[in-house]
């Protein structure tokens, strides 16, 4: 009976050591997986930051282009507003001249 007890004890100790080594190997694999996940998350964060910077740069460039276009349109509008009275005067003059010709022919 004591031999069976000793054998069972040795088997139990061997099984305990084997399970401990298996658990250590599993923990090492999980640690490596966690490190890869961490690296992947950092890479995604860097990509997202680069995307944000690039998008902000594009937005700033578009705002500059829009401002330039608005200023150009404002200048054109001011030019037309300055010319408008003379254009109206010419049109009215032509209408009055045509009206005079019509009235003479009657």
């Amino acid at each position: 009976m004591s031999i069976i007890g000793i054998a069972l004890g040795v088997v139990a100790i061997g099984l305990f050591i084997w399970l401990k080594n298996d658990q250590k190997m599993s923990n090492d694999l999980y640690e490596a997986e966690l490190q890869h996940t961490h690296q992947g998350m950092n890479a995604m964060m860097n990509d997202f930051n680069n995307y944000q910077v690039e998008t902000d740069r594009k937005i700033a460039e578009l705002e500059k282009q829009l401002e330039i276009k608005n200023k150009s349109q404002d200048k054109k509008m001011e030019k037309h507003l300055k010319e408008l009275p003379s254009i109206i005067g010419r049109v009215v003059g032509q209408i009055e001249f045509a009206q005079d010709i019509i009235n003479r022919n009657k």
Side-chain angles (χ1 to χ4, degrees), residues 38-93:
H38 191 269
Q39 288 173 350
M41 294 297 279
N42 282 337
M44 284 178 57
M45 184 176 63
N46 289 338
D47 286 345
F48 185 67
N49 287 342
N50 290 337
Y51 171 77
Q52 284 180 323
V53 168
E54 183 179 328
T55 302
D56 289 343
R57 195 174 300 134
K58 286 180 181 178
I59 289 171
E61 180 64 30
L62 288 172
E63 286 175 345
K64 285 180 187 176
Q65 290 175 0
L66 186 61
E67 186 67 30
I68 290 169
K69 205 167 204 173
N70 282 342
K71 286 181 181 178
S72 172
Q73 291 294 329
D74 288 345
K75 286 179 183 178
K76 286 180 183 178
M77 181 62 83
E78 287 176 18
K79 179 183 174 189
H80 289 307
L81 287 176
K82 287 179 183 176
E83 293 175 353
L84 189 60
S86 65
I87 293 172
I88 291 173
R90 280 184 279 167
V91 170
V92 169

Side-chain angles (χ1 to χ4, degrees), residues 17-30:
I17 291 171
W18 180 78
L19 287 174
K20 184 179 175 187
N21 287 340
D22 188 49
Q23 184 65 42
K24 185 178 183 301
M25 186 169 41
S26 293
N27 287 346
D28 290 343
L29 289 173
Y30 289 132

